[in-house]
Amino acid sequence: MSELATLPTRHDEAWRYADISAAEAIGAEALNTWREVSVAAGETHRETFVLDGDAPAVTRLRVALGEGARAEFFAVNAASGSARLEIEVTLARAAHFEFGGVTIGGGDATREFVTKTVHAEPEGTSNQTVRSVHWGTASGNFLGEINVARHAQKTDAAQDFKALLLEKGASANAVPQLEIFADDVKCAHGATMGQLDESARYYMAARGIDPDVAQRLLVQAFLGDALVAMGDTDAQGELLDVALAALERSAL
């Protein structure tokens, strides 16, 4: 637990777009509770998360990767209430951090992923891919901070965020942050937001595909990028089914 069990405010960069009223409902003690994950040198840790509850929720992890270790986290945030998954990871030499996340849903919930990736030693790599699909007045957020220590040469870090907004009232926010003190590194980030490709929908409708089915197929293809690194097609399919179930429950 954190030394200071305090409630966040919008003055905190990591909570800029968060639902502060939901955070207050969760309470300071729960918000400041972290699960510690330590991955020994050369080992691999894989974990999946499904956030689909009705009540506000926050899950926070601190991850330490040993030399040559690998951590892979994949998550679907389709909660009806505001929900947040936060991961802080510190990489030793030649370690790798992989994160793939999907936020999806309607209503007025705020669904977000927040990551802090610390490349503390040379030759570490990290890749983060987040896809967001929202409607109603919902919001999908990704705040990703990458820190590269002064001696962490040969770091290779990337973040990629894309959002689809299916209704005008929905929103998405991406805040990539890079703090780099080494000079021989590769650090990249990208963020795009838009609507479904109407030409693709027209093409599919012209070939007799039902509009609801067409929308589902287009959203599925869009979300798939976030989970492709899983490697396990069955597990990937299960997470996609969770995400698409949120779309099917909507009135869109």
Side-chain angles (χ1 to χ4, degrees):
M1 184 177 298
S2 172
E3 294 83 357
L4 297 175
T6 58
L7 285 169
T9 72
R10 295 197 190 282
H11 294 296
D12 302 319
E13 181 65 27
W15 293 86
R16 184 197 301 184
Y17 298 106
D19 184 339
I20 296 301
S21 62
E24 292 171 348
I26 294 169
E29 183 174 351
L31 284 177
N32 287 277
T33 299
W34 295 79
R35 176 160 67 89
E36 306 287 338
V37 177
S38 181
V39 186
E43 297 296 317
T44 297
H45 177 86
R46 297 185 181 94
E47 195 167 348
T48 59
F49 297 86
V50 173
L51 288 73
D52 60 357
D54 297 327
V58 171
T59 300
R60 308 180 91 178
L61 285 79
R62 284 198 178 107
V63 183
L65 299 182
E67 183 171 349
R70 183 180 182 93
E72 300 178 358
F73 296 98
F74 298 93
V76 171
N77 187 343
S80 298
S82 295
R84 171 187 180 104
L85 172 63
E86 186 169 350
I87 301 174
E88 291 186 4
V89 57
T90 302
L91 292 81
R93 179 183 291 270
H96 179 75
F97 169 53
E98 186 78 33
F99 178 70
V102 169
T103 64
I104 184 169
D108 59 358
T110 298
R111 305 172 183 93
E112 58 190 356
F113 298 127
V114 180
T115 64
K116 180 177 181 179
T117 307
V118 180
H119 287 267
E121 298 183 29
E123 301 175 13
T125 56
S126 61
N127 183 62
Q128 301 175 64
T129 305
V130 175
R131 297 292 181 264
S132 182
V133 180
H134 290 273
W135 55 93
T137 58
S139 179
N141 304 326
F142 175 49
L143 288 76
E145 179 180 348
I146 295 175
N147 297 336
V148 181
R150 190 173 304 279
H151 65 285
Q153 307 293 353
K154 306 295 184 182
T155 288
D156 190 344
Q159 294 178 336
D160 181 50
F161 174 84
K162 293 181 180 178
L164 281 179
L165 305 180
L166 302 184
E167 290 185 329
K168 290 183 178 180
S171 63
N173 301 287
V175 184
Q177 295 178 287
L178 303 178
E179 190 174 61
I180 303 169
F181 294 102
D183 53 13
D184 186 7
V185 303
K186 294 180 181 179
C187 290
H189 61 80
T192 60
M193 303 177 196
Q195 299 175 325
L196 278 178
D197 186 342
E198 290 301 327
S199 62
R201 287 213 277 195
Y202 177 81
Y203 177 89
M204 297 172 81
R207 281 151 183 79
I209 298 176
D210 181 88
D212 290 340
V213 174
Q215 177 170 267
R216 187 184 194 279
L217 291 173
L218 290 170
V219 170
Q220 180 175 334
F222 176 78
L223 297 179
D225 289 345
L227 306 176
V228 69
M230 292 184 72
D232 184 334
T233 55
D234 290 338
Q236 182 184 20
E238 290 174 3
L239 284 185
L240 276 175
D241 286 344
V242 171
L244 293 170
L247 183 67
E248 292 166 356
R249 288 194 299 269
S250 74
L252 291 172

